Amino acid sequence: MAGELILIIEDNEKNLKLVRDVLQFHGYRIVEAMTAEEGLEIARAQQPALVLMDIQLPGMDGITALRHLRADPLTRKILVMAVTASAMALDRQRIMAAGFNGYTAKPIQIREFTEEVRTILDRCVGTSAGGA
Ligand code: MN
């Protein structure tokens, strides 16, 4: 199945455009936010299948935003993938321990990135995220 709705939360316009273009090319529908606060509102209202979450954001950071998503019954089951410039192993551990469903380091490698998005969406169909 393709065409799922994906919410991109990213404050860097260049990164946002790249991710949007890649995902639209692959048939996904996109909504986007440049702050976590705005992203949380959109997630509640539009129920995306997947959120791509930048970690370093102005105001609320991506890890705090994930906690808010998980604490809200309306958004708790939405899949969330971290997209972060932090490529160090320690950061990756911290990010996965926070409860993200996946992780991609920036700068994104387009092919690996699109495969990871598809893998997360497929792996989680019919499990906790069913119908999200
Ligand atoms: Mn950022």
Side-chain angles (χ1 to χ4, degrees):
M1 185 173 90
E4 291 98 333
L5 184 66
I6 298 180
L7 167 60
I8 308 167
I9 304 179
E10 166 65 74
D11 65 311
N12 179 291
E13 283 184 41
K14 219 173 125 185
N15 292 336
L16 180 60
K17 181 184 185 330
L18 174 63
V19 172
R20 177 207 300 136
D21 288 351
V22 167
L23 293 176
Q24 283 182 338
F25 177 79
H26 286 273
Y28 297 102
R29 292 172 296 126
I30 301 301
V31 281
E32 52 198 53
M34 296 186 80
T35 66
E37 290 85 347
E38 186 192 355
L40 290 173
E41 281 185 33
I42 292 172
R44 275 190 291 269
Q46 300 205 31
Q47 299 288 305
L50 174 67
V51 177
L52 299 178
M53 182 78 81
D54 185 19
I55 300 300
Q56 292 177 299
L57 292 161
M60 186 189 298
D61 67 79
I63 291 178
T64 306
L66 175 73
R67 286 198 198 104
H68 282 275
L69 288 171
R70 295 295 189 240
D72 184 337
L74 278 177
T75 56
R76 142 182 323 157
K77 292 178 180 174
I78 294 174
L79 301 168
V80 188
M81 178 169 149
V83 182
T84 174
S86 309
M88 293 169 61
L90 196 66
D91 287 332
R92 185 191 175 102
Q93 279 186 348
R94 190 169 68 93
I95 284 163
M96 294 310 288
F100 286 94
N101 300 96
Y103 173 98
T104 290
K106 286 187 282 193
I108 66 163
Q109 307 298 311
I110 289 172
R111 184 170 168 183
E112 287 82 351
F113 170 72
T114 52
E115 286 174 357
E116 179 70 7
V117 165
R118 193 65 254 161
T119 298
I120 291 176
L121 286 166
D122 288 342
R123 189 173 62 212
C124 299
V125 165
T127 61
S128 62

